[in-house]
């Protein structure tokens, strides 16, 4: 291969076969995979499907009160819940912003019979933020999933009750192929809790943390580094978080179906 461009294309051809969004290449201005330009449109479509939806948490979430005294909580990302937060910001700052955001969101949902948590358009972020969200629905410590990196021993990931406002009523979580990374961590951890059902279609299956590496020519790349299983030890990396049943196509149809279940 005579040129760097040739090398980049060859690498893309190889790693692209993995179908793993956590395997990335950055070669100056060239990156793989290219960021999905459709996220914005999907988020707008989801918002339009929710009557009275109100954006909050620095546009990372939206809430509404639906018919039948049902609350709606759409979470679009696990990070950046306050203005000025970036990927370079300390994790603790992201978690604190999520803590404040959840206090506000759950405060507005006082008295609801159930909550629809919509993760169908969730681009991921930080697992620590995902666990902060889950902690508000957790009555007691639970093993949410298990991880193993390389030859290390498998270890459990536990979710614990959080501080601040909490909700212990029934929750239906909606997921799909655009539930990615930390969004999948959130879905799997919620699934481990009592009174929670997960509907829709299986998530993308990109739960592993990413390990960054650098090549001698200055390019960088990341690899998935973990085997991730659910609390019972069933592999969910690559396969995704599974669901009890489908809610059909269409953003609004899924919300309405979940809300009807909770309003009964």
């Amino acid at each position: 291969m005579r040129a760097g461009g040739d090398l980049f294309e060859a690498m893309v051809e190889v790693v692209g076969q993995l179908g793993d969004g956590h395997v990335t290449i950055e070669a100056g201005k060239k990156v793989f995979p290219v960021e999905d330009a459709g996220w914005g449109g999907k988020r707008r479509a989801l918002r339009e499907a929710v009557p009275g939806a109100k954006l909050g948490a620095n546009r990372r979430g939206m809430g509404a009160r639906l018919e039948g005294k049902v609350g709606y909580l759409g979470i679009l990302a696990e990070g950046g819940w306050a203005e000025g937060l970036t990927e370079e910001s300390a994790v603790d700052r992201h978690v604190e912003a999520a803590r404040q955001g959840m206090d506000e969101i759950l405060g507005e949902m006082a008295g609801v019979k159930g909550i629809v948590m919509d993760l169908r358009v969730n681009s991921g972020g930080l697992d620590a933020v995902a666990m902060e969200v889950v902690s508000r629905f957790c009555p007691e410590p639970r093993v949410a999933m298990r991880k193993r990196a390389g030859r290390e021993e498998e270890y459990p990931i536990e979710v614990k009750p959080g501080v601040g406002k909490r909700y212990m009523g029934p929750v239906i979580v909606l997921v799909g192929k655009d539930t990615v990374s930390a969004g999948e961590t959130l879905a799997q951890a919620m699934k481990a809790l009592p009174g929670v059902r997960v509907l829709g279609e299986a998530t993308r299956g990109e739960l592993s943390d990413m390990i960054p590496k650098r090549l001698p020519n200055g390019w960088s790349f990341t690899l998935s580094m973990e085997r991730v299983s659910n609390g019972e030890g069933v592999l969910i990396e690559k396969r995704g978080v599974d669901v009890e049943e489908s809610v059909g196509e269409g953003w609004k149809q899924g919300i309405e179906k979940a809300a009807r279940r909770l309003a009964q």
Side-chain angles (χ1 to χ4, degrees), residues 44-55 62-67 70-73 109 116 118 120 251-256 259:
R44 285 191 295 273
L46 180 60
R47 184 182 180 189
E48 291 170 359
V50 185
K54 176 184 175 183
L55 281 172
M62 56 185 180
R65 294 180 75 101
L66 308 176
E67 292 184 7
V70 173
Y72 175 87
L73 169 58
M109 292 191 182
V116 178
D118 200 338
R120 290 176 296 173
W251 306 116
K252 190 172 183 178
Q253 180 180 345
I255 295 166
E256 291 176 342

PDB file of all heavy atoms in Angstrom, residues 44-55 62-67 70-73 109 116 118 120 251-256 259:
ATOM      1  N   ARG A  44     -36.382  14.535  16.696  1.00  0.00           N
ATOM      2  CA  ARG A  44     -37.519  15.421  16.413  1.00  0.00           C
ATOM      3  C   ARG A  44     -38.793  14.614  16.213  1.00  0.00           C
ATOM      4  O   ARG A  44     -39.868  14.993  16.710  1.00  0.00           O
ATOM      5  CB  ARG A  44     -37.227  16.266  15.170  1.00  0.00           C
ATOM      6  CG  ARG A  44     -36.230  17.395  15.404  1.00  0.00           C
ATOM      7  CD  ARG A  44     -36.191  18.354  14.227  1.00  0.00           C
ATOM      8  NE  ARG A  44     -35.687  17.705  13.029  1.00  0.00           N
ATOM      9  CZ  ARG A  44     -34.398  17.617  12.714  1.00  0.00           C
ATOM     10  NH1 ARG A  44     -33.489  18.137  13.515  1.00  0.00           N
ATOM     11  NH2 ARG A  44     -34.014  17.031  11.592  1.00  0.00           N
ATOM     12  N   ALA A  45     -38.699  13.505  15.493  1.00  0.00           N
ATOM     13  CA  ALA A  45     -39.876  12.667  15.248  1.00  0.00           C
ATOM     14  C   ALA A  45     -40.414  12.096  16.552  1.00  0.00           C
ATOM     15  O   ALA A  45     -41.636  12.027  16.752  1.00  0.00           O
ATOM     16  CB  ALA A  45     -39.519  11.543  14.279  1.00  0.00           C
ATOM     17  N   LEU A  46     -39.512  11.703  17.439  1.00  0.00           N
ATOM     18  CA  LEU A  46     -39.955  11.161  18.728  1.00  0.00           C
ATOM     19  C   LEU A  46     -40.657  12.240  19.540  1.00  0.00           C
ATOM     20  O   LEU A  46     -41.712  11.998  20.142  1.00  0.00           O
ATOM     21  CB  LEU A  46     -38.748  10.609  19.494  1.00  0.00           C
ATOM     22  CG  LEU A  46     -39.044  10.000  20.864  1.00  0.00           C
ATOM     23  CD1 LEU A  46     -40.003   8.823  20.739  1.00  0.00           C
ATOM     24  CD2 LEU A  46     -37.751   9.550  21.546  1.00  0.00           C
ATOM     25  N   ARG A  47     -40.083  13.435  19.556  1.00  0.00           N
ATOM     26  CA  ARG A  47     -40.702  14.516  20.324  1.00  0.00           C
ATOM     27  C   ARG A  47     -42.098  14.835  19.798  1.00  0.00           C
ATOM     28  O   ARG A  47     -43.035  15.082  20.568  1.00  0.00           O
ATOM     29  CB  ARG A  47     -39.821  15.761  20.273  1.00  0.00           C
ATOM     30  CG  ARG A  47     -40.348  16.911  21.143  1.00  0.00           C
ATOM     31  CD  ARG A  47     -39.480  18.142  21.030  1.00  0.00           C
ATOM     32  NE  ARG A  47     -39.985  19.222  21.859  1.00  0.00           N
ATOM     33  CZ  ARG A  47     -39.535  20.456  21.840  1.00  0.00           C
ATOM     34  NH1 ARG A  47     -38.542  20.782  21.021  1.00  0.00           N
ATOM     35  NH2 ARG A  47     -40.050  21.386  22.622  1.00  0.00           N
ATOM     36  N   GLU A  48     -42.252  14.831  18.474  1.00  0.00           N
ATOM     37  CA  GLU A  48     -43.557  15.127  17.873  1.00  0.00           C
ATOM     38  C   GLU A  48     -44.590  14.064  18.211  1.00  0.00           C
ATOM     39  O   GLU A  48     -45.800  14.323  18.138  1.00  0.00           O
ATOM     40  CB  GLU A  48     -43.403  15.270  16.364  1.00  0.00           C
ATOM     41  CG  GLU A  48     -42.625  16.515  15.953  1.00  0.00           C
ATOM     42  CD  GLU A  48     -42.270  16.525  14.480  1.00  0.00           C
ATOM     43  OE1 GLU A  48     -42.621  15.540  13.779  1.00  0.00           O
ATOM     44  OE2 GLU A  48     -41.636  17.498  14.010  1.00  0.00           O
ATOM     45  N   ALA A  49     -44.138  12.868  18.576  1.00  0.00           N
ATOM     46  CA  ALA A  49     -45.057  11.771  18.887  1.00  0.00           C
ATOM     47  C   ALA A  49     -45.572  11.841  20.318  1.00  0.00           C
ATOM     48  O   ALA A  49     -46.469  11.079  20.686  1.00  0.00           O
ATOM     49  CB  ALA A  49     -44.356  10.433  18.661  1.00  0.00           C
ATOM     50  N   VAL A  50     -45.021  12.750  21.123  1.00  0.00           N
ATOM     51  CA  VAL A  50     -45.394  12.842  22.536  1.00  0.00           C
ATOM     52  C   VAL A  50     -46.184  14.125  22.776  1.00  0.00           C
ATOM     53  O   VAL A  50     -45.613  15.218  22.713  1.00  0.00           O
ATOM     54  CB  VAL A  50     -44.145  12.828  23.441  1.00  0.00           C
ATOM     55  CG1 VAL A  50     -44.563  12.791  24.905  1.00  0.00           C
ATOM     56  CG2 VAL A  50     -43.246  11.649  23.114  1.00  0.00           C
ATOM     57  N   PRO A  51     -47.466  14.017  23.078  1.00  0.00           N
ATOM     58  CA  PRO A  51     -48.266  15.221  23.332  1.00  0.00           C
ATOM     59  C   PRO A  51     -47.718  16.003  24.527  1.00  0.00           C
ATOM     60  O   PRO A  51     -47.502  15.451  25.602  1.00  0.00           O
ATOM     61  CB  PRO A  51     -49.661  14.655  23.640  1.00  0.00           C
ATOM     62  CG  PRO A  51     -49.668  13.277  23.050  1.00  0.00           C
ATOM     63  CD  PRO A  51     -48.262  12.784  23.164  1.00  0.00           C
ATOM     64  N   GLY A  52     -47.478  17.289  24.331  1.00  0.00           N
ATOM     65  CA  GLY A  52     -47.031  18.127  25.435  1.00  0.00           C
ATOM     66  C   GLY A  52     -45.616  17.875  25.895  1.00  0.00           C
ATOM     67  O   GLY A  52     -45.240  18.250  27.018  1.00  0.00           O
ATOM     68  N   ALA A  53     -44.783  17.249  25.055  1.00  0.00           N
ATOM     69  CA  ALA A  53     -43.413  16.924  25.455  1.00  0.00           C
ATOM     70  C   ALA A  53     -42.622  18.193  25.762  1.00  0.00           C
ATOM     71  O   ALA A  53     -42.681  19.175  25.026  1.00  0.00           O
ATOM     72  CB  ALA A  53     -42.717  16.137  24.357  1.00  0.00           C
ATOM     73  N   LYS A  54     -41.875  18.144  26.849  1.00  0.00           N
ATOM     74  CA  LYS A  54     -41.056  19.273  27.280  1.00  0.00           C
ATOM     75  C   LYS A  54     -39.605  18.832  27.368  1.00  0.00           C
ATOM     76  O   LYS A  54     -39.273  17.901  28.096  1.00  0.00           O
ATOM     77  CB  LYS A  54     -41.540  19.774  28.639  1.00  0.00           C
ATOM     78  CG  LYS A  54     -40.699  20.894  29.222  1.00  0.00           C
ATOM     79  CD  LYS A  54     -41.197  21.256  30.613  1.00  0.00           C
ATOM     80  CE  LYS A  54     -40.295  22.282  31.269  1.00  0.00           C
ATOM     81  NZ  LYS A  54     -40.742  22.578  32.666  1.00  0.00           N
ATOM     82  N   LEU A  55     -38.740  19.491  26.599  1.00  0.00           N
ATOM     83  CA  LEU A  55     -37.321  19.167  26.647  1.00  0.00           C
ATOM     84  C   LEU A  55     -36.702  19.683  27.942  1.00  0.00           C
ATOM     85  O   LEU A  55     -37.055  20.752  28.433  1.00  0.00           O
ATOM     86  CB  LEU A  55     -36.587  19.780  25.456  1.00  0.00           C
ATOM     87  CG  LEU A  55     -36.707  19.047  24.118  1.00  0.00           C
ATOM     88  CD1 LEU A  55     -36.096  19.896  23.012  1.00  0.00           C
ATOM     89  CD2 LEU A  55     -36.036  17.688  24.175  1.00  0.00           C
ATOM     90  N   MET A  62     -36.664  14.388  27.766  1.00  0.00           N
ATOM     91  CA  MET A  62     -37.940  15.082  27.634  1.00  0.00           C
ATOM     92  C   MET A  62     -38.985  14.366  28.461  1.00  0.00           C
ATOM     93  O   MET A  62     -38.927  13.140  28.661  1.00  0.00           O
ATOM     94  CB  MET A  62     -38.367  15.182  26.173  1.00  0.00           C
ATOM     95  CG  MET A  62     -38.477  13.895  25.423  1.00  0.00           C
ATOM     96  SD  MET A  62     -38.864  14.239  23.683  1.00  0.00           S
ATOM     97  CE  MET A  62     -38.948  12.560  23.039  1.00  0.00           C
ATOM     98  N   GLY A  63     -39.934  15.137  28.979  1.00  0.00           N
ATOM     99  CA  GLY A  63     -40.959  14.579  29.843  1.00  0.00           C
ATOM    100  C   GLY A  63     -42.333  15.086  29.469  1.00  0.00           C
ATOM    101  O   GLY A  63     -42.487  16.114  28.811  1.00  0.00           O
ATOM    102  N   ALA A  64     -43.332  14.338  29.910  1.00  0.00           N
ATOM    103  CA  ALA A  64     -44.719  14.722  29.667  1.00  0.00           C
ATOM    104  C   ALA A  64     -45.601  13.893  30.598  1.00  0.00           C
ATOM    105  O   ALA A  64     -45.187  12.858  31.130  1.00  0.00           O
ATOM    106  CB  ALA A  64     -45.116  14.477  28.216  1.00  0.00           C
ATOM    107  N   ARG A  65     -46.812  14.370  30.785  1.00  0.00           N
ATOM    108  CA  ARG A  65     -47.827  13.595  31.491  1.00  0.00           C
ATOM    109  C   ARG A  65     -48.849  13.162  30.452  1.00  0.00           C
ATOM    110  O   ARG A  65     -49.460  13.995  29.772  1.00  0.00           O
ATOM    111  CB  ARG A  65     -48.468  14.415  32.604  1.00  0.00           C
ATOM    112  CG  ARG A  65     -47.488  14.769  33.719  1.00  0.00           C
ATOM    113  CD  ARG A  65     -48.155  15.584  34.814  1.00  0.00           C
ATOM    114  NE  ARG A  65     -49.016  14.767  35.654  1.00  0.00           N
ATOM    115  CZ  ARG A  65     -48.669  14.312  36.854  1.00  0.00           C
ATOM    116  NH1 ARG A  65     -47.478  14.584  37.361  1.00  0.00           N
ATOM    117  NH2 ARG A  65     -49.501  13.585  37.566  1.00  0.00           N
ATOM    118  N   LEU A  66     -49.033  11.860  30.318  1.00  0.00           N
ATOM    119  CA  LEU A  66     -49.931  11.296  29.325  1.00  0.00           C
ATOM    120  C   LEU A  66     -51.295  11.023  29.929  1.00  0.00           C
ATOM    121  O   LEU A  66     -51.490  11.108  31.147  1.00  0.00           O
ATOM    122  CB  LEU A  66     -49.324   9.995  28.773  1.00  0.00           C
ATOM    123  CG  LEU A  66     -47.885  10.084  28.260  1.00  0.00           C
ATOM    124  CD1 LEU A  66     -47.403   8.700  27.837  1.00  0.00           C
ATOM    125  CD2 LEU A  66     -47.767  11.074  27.109  1.00  0.00           C
ATOM    126  N   GLU A  67     -52.250  10.680  29.079  1.00  0.00           N
ATOM    127  CA  GLU A  67     -53.586  10.326  29.560  1.00  0.00           C
ATOM    128  C   GLU A  67     -53.512   9.121  30.493  1.00  0.00           C
ATOM    129  O   GLU A  67     -52.635   8.272  30.360  1.00  0.00           O
ATOM    130  CB  GLU A  67     -54.502  10.011  28.377  1.00  0.00           C
ATOM    131  CG  GLU A  67     -54.839  11.225  27.515  1.00  0.00           C
ATOM    132  CD  GLU A  67     -55.827  10.870  26.412  1.00  0.00           C
ATOM    133  OE1 GLU A  67     -56.337   9.726  26.414  1.00  0.00           O
ATOM    134  OE2 GLU A  67     -56.077  11.721  25.538  1.00  0.00           O
ATOM    135  N   VAL A  70     -50.298   8.764  33.474  1.00  0.00           N
ATOM    136  CA  VAL A  70     -49.044   8.067  33.161  1.00  0.00           C
ATOM    137  C   VAL A  70     -47.986   9.107  32.822  1.00  0.00           C
ATOM    138  O   VAL A  70     -48.244  10.058  32.083  1.00  0.00           O
ATOM    139  CB  VAL A  70     -49.235   7.091  31.987  1.00  0.00           C
ATOM    140  CG1 VAL A  70     -47.904   6.502  31.544  1.00  0.00           C
ATOM    141  CG2 VAL A  70     -50.199   5.977  32.379  1.00  0.00           C
ATOM    142  N   GLY A  71     -46.790   8.936  33.366  1.00  0.00           N
ATOM    143  CA  GLY A  71     -45.686   9.828  33.058  1.00  0.00           C
ATOM    144  C   GLY A  71     -44.861   9.316  31.896  1.00  0.00           C
ATOM    145  O   GLY A  71     -44.770   8.102  31.676  1.00  0.00           O
ATOM    146  N   TYR A  72     -44.270  10.232  31.156  1.00  0.00           N
ATOM    147  CA  TYR A  72     -43.389   9.872  30.037  1.00  0.00           C
ATOM    148  C   TYR A  72     -42.023  10.485  30.266  1.00  0.00           C
ATOM    149  O   TYR A  72     -41.891  11.690  30.532  1.00  0.00           O
ATOM    150  CB  TYR A  72     -43.968  10.370  28.710  1.00  0.00           C
ATOM    151  CG  TYR A  72     -43.035  10.137  27.534  1.00  0.00           C
ATOM    152  CD1 TYR A  72     -43.059   8.935  26.843  1.00  0.00           C
ATOM    153  CD2 TYR A  72     -42.117  11.112  27.150  1.00  0.00           C
ATOM    154  CE1 TYR A  72     -42.194   8.702  25.782  1.00  0.00           C
ATOM    155  CE2 TYR A  72     -41.253  10.889  26.087  1.00  0.00           C
ATOM    156  CZ  TYR A  72     -41.293   9.683  25.408  1.00  0.00           C
ATOM    157  OH  TYR A  72     -40.420   9.460  24.370  1.00  0.00           O
ATOM    158  N   LEU A  73     -40.982   9.652  30.160  1.00  0.00           N
ATOM    159  CA  LEU A  73     -39.603  10.107  30.299  1.00  0.00           C
ATOM    160  C   LEU A  73     -38.790   9.573  29.131  1.00  0.00           C
ATOM    161  O   LEU A  73     -38.546   8.371  29.028  1.00  0.00           O
ATOM    162  CB  LEU A  73     -39.008   9.605  31.624  1.00  0.00           C
ATOM    163  CG  LEU A  73     -37.500   9.774  31.828  1.00  0.00           C
ATOM    164  CD1 LEU A  73     -37.095  11.235  31.707  1.00  0.00           C
ATOM    165  CD2 LEU A  73     -37.080   9.209  33.183  1.00  0.00           C
ATOM    166  N   MET A 109     -43.407  14.435  38.075  1.00  0.00           N
ATOM    167  CA  MET A 109     -44.229  13.252  37.822  1.00  0.00           C
ATOM    168  C   MET A 109     -44.897  12.720  39.092  1.00  0.00           C
ATOM    169  O   MET A 109     -45.348  11.575  39.131  1.00  0.00           O
ATOM    170  CB  MET A 109     -43.370  12.152  37.187  1.00  0.00           C
ATOM    171  CG  MET A 109     -42.925  12.494  35.784  1.00  0.00           C
ATOM    172  SD  MET A 109     -42.188  11.096  34.922  1.00  0.00           S
ATOM    173  CE  MET A 109     -41.743  11.870  33.374  1.00  0.00           C
ATOM    174  N   VAL A 116     -43.546   5.600  31.430  1.00  0.00           N
ATOM    175  CA  VAL A 116     -42.974   5.077  30.195  1.00  0.00           C
ATOM    176  C   VAL A 116     -41.588   5.694  30.055  1.00  0.00           C
ATOM    177  O   VAL A 116     -41.465   6.910  29.913  1.00  0.00           O
ATOM    178  CB  VAL A 116     -43.834   5.433  28.971  1.00  0.00           C
ATOM    179  CG1 VAL A 116     -43.170   4.902  27.694  1.00  0.00           C
ATOM    180  CG2 VAL A 116     -45.245   4.887  29.115  1.00  0.00           C
ATOM    181  N   ASP A 118     -38.610   5.965  27.632  1.00  0.00           N
ATOM    182  CA  ASP A 118     -38.379   5.731  26.204  1.00  0.00           C
ATOM    183  C   ASP A 118     -36.896   5.899  25.877  1.00  0.00           C
ATOM    184  O   ASP A 118     -36.347   6.998  25.959  1.00  0.00           O
ATOM    185  CB  ASP A 118     -39.215   6.712  25.384  1.00  0.00           C
ATOM    186  CG  ASP A 118     -39.429   6.257  23.953  1.00  0.00           C
ATOM    187  OD1 ASP A 118     -38.630   5.433  23.474  1.00  0.00           O
ATOM    188  OD2 ASP A 118     -40.394   6.732  23.317  1.00  0.00           O
ATOM    189  N   ARG A 120     -35.643   4.566  22.853  1.00  0.00           N
ATOM    190  CA  ARG A 120     -35.544   4.112  21.469  1.00  0.00           C
ATOM    191  C   ARG A 120     -34.661   5.003  20.598  1.00  0.00           C
ATOM    192  O   ARG A 120     -34.225   4.570  19.530  1.00  0.00           O
ATOM    193  CB  ARG A 120     -36.943   3.994  20.857  1.00  0.00           C
ATOM    194  CG  ARG A 120     -37.758   2.837  21.423  1.00  0.00           C
ATOM    195  CD  ARG A 120     -39.161   2.824  20.855  1.00  0.00           C
ATOM    196  NE  ARG A 120     -39.901   4.013  21.243  1.00  0.00           N
ATOM    197  CZ  ARG A 120     -41.101   4.319  20.784  1.00  0.00           C
ATOM    198  NH1 ARG A 120     -41.684   3.534  19.879  1.00  0.00           N
ATOM    199  NH2 ARG A 120     -41.714   5.414  21.198  1.00  0.00           N
ATOM    200  N   TRP A 251     -43.186   5.700  16.371  1.00  0.00           N
ATOM    201  CA  TRP A 251     -42.878   6.201  17.713  1.00  0.00           C
ATOM    202  C   TRP A 251     -44.132   6.277  18.575  1.00  0.00           C
ATOM    203  O   TRP A 251     -44.135   5.834  19.730  1.00  0.00           O
ATOM    204  CB  TRP A 251     -42.241   7.591  17.601  1.00  0.00           C
ATOM    205  CG  TRP A 251     -41.046   7.673  16.707  1.00  0.00           C
ATOM    206  CD1 TRP A 251     -40.930   8.394  15.547  1.00  0.00           C
ATOM    207  CD2 TRP A 251     -39.792   7.004  16.874  1.00  0.00           C
ATOM    208  NE1 TRP A 251     -39.689   8.215  14.987  1.00  0.00           N
ATOM    209  CE2 TRP A 251     -38.969   7.374  15.783  1.00  0.00           C
ATOM    210  CE3 TRP A 251     -39.280   6.137  17.845  1.00  0.00           C
ATOM    211  CZ2 TRP A 251     -37.662   6.911  15.629  1.00  0.00           C
ATOM    212  CZ3 TRP A 251     -37.984   5.672  17.700  1.00  0.00           C
ATOM    213  CH2 TRP A 251     -37.194   6.059  16.609  1.00  0.00           C
ATOM    214  N   LYS A 252     -45.196   6.861  18.026  1.00  0.00           N
ATOM    215  CA  LYS A 252     -46.407   7.101  18.800  1.00  0.00           C
ATOM    216  C   LYS A 252     -47.096   5.805  19.200  1.00  0.00           C
ATOM    217  O   LYS A 252     -47.609   5.673  20.318  1.00  0.00           O
ATOM    218  CB  LYS A 252     -47.367   7.984  17.998  1.00  0.00           C
ATOM    219  CG  LYS A 252     -48.547   8.497  18.801  1.00  0.00           C
ATOM    220  CD  LYS A 252     -49.333   9.517  18.002  1.00  0.00           C
ATOM    221  CE  LYS A 252     -50.468  10.097  18.835  1.00  0.00           C
ATOM    222  NZ  LYS A 252     -51.220  11.139  18.065  1.00  0.00           N
ATOM    223  N   GLN A 253     -47.095   4.826  18.314  1.00  0.00           N
ATOM    224  CA  GLN A 253     -47.760   3.561  18.595  1.00  0.00           C
ATOM    225  C   GLN A 253     -47.166   2.890  19.824  1.00  0.00           C
ATOM    226  O   GLN A 253     -47.890   2.365  20.680  1.00  0.00           O
ATOM    227  CB  GLN A 253     -47.637   2.630  17.386  1.00  0.00           C
ATOM    228  CG  GLN A 253     -48.312   1.275  17.588  1.00  0.00           C
ATOM    229  CD  GLN A 253     -48.176   0.386  16.361  1.00  0.00           C
ATOM    230  OE1 GLN A 253     -47.830   0.842  15.281  1.00  0.00           O
ATOM    231  NE2 GLN A 253     -48.438  -0.899  16.531  1.00  0.00           N
ATOM    232  N   GLY A 254     -45.847   2.896  19.948  1.00  0.00           N
ATOM    233  CA  GLY A 254     -45.201   2.272  21.094  1.00  0.00           C
ATOM    234  C   GLY A 254     -45.531   2.977  22.393  1.00  0.00           C
ATOM    235  O   GLY A 254     -45.771   2.326  23.429  1.00  0.00           O
ATOM    236  N   ILE A 255     -45.538   4.302  22.354  1.00  0.00           N
ATOM    237  CA  ILE A 255     -45.858   5.076  23.559  1.00  0.00           C
ATOM    238  C   ILE A 255     -47.287   4.802  23.998  1.00  0.00           C
ATOM    239  O   ILE A 255     -47.560   4.580  25.188  1.00  0.00           O
ATOM    240  CB  ILE A 255     -45.646   6.579  23.292  1.00  0.00           C
ATOM    241  CG1 ILE A 255     -44.163   6.859  23.020  1.00  0.00           C
ATOM    242  CG2 ILE A 255     -46.135   7.410  24.475  1.00  0.00           C
ATOM    243  CD1 ILE A 255     -43.901   8.227  22.418  1.00  0.00           C
ATOM    244  N   GLU A 256     -48.208   4.815  23.049  1.00  0.00           N
ATOM    245  CA  GLU A 256     -49.610   4.593  23.382  1.00  0.00           C
ATOM    246  C   GLU A 256     -49.848   3.197  23.943  1.00  0.00           C
ATOM    247  O   GLU A 256     -50.614   3.019  24.899  1.00  0.00           O
ATOM    248  CB  GLU A 256     -50.483   4.825  22.145  1.00  0.00           C
ATOM    249  CG  GLU A 256     -50.534   6.294  21.717  1.00  0.00           C
ATOM    250  CD  GLU A 256     -51.330   6.497  20.446  1.00  0.00           C
ATOM    251  OE1 GLU A 256     -51.541   5.485  19.708  1.00  0.00           O
ATOM    252  OE2 GLU A 256     -51.736   7.638  20.170  1.00  0.00           O
ATOM    253  N   ALA A 259     -48.453   3.139  27.498  1.00  0.00           N
ATOM    254  CA  ALA A 259     -49.290   3.952  28.394  1.00  0.00           C
ATOM    255  C   ALA A 259     -50.587   3.235  28.737  1.00  0.00           C
ATOM    256  O   ALA A 259     -51.045   3.292  29.896  1.00  0.00           O
ATOM    257  CB  ALA A 259     -49.581   5.299  27.746  1.00  0.00           C
TER     258      ALA A 259
END
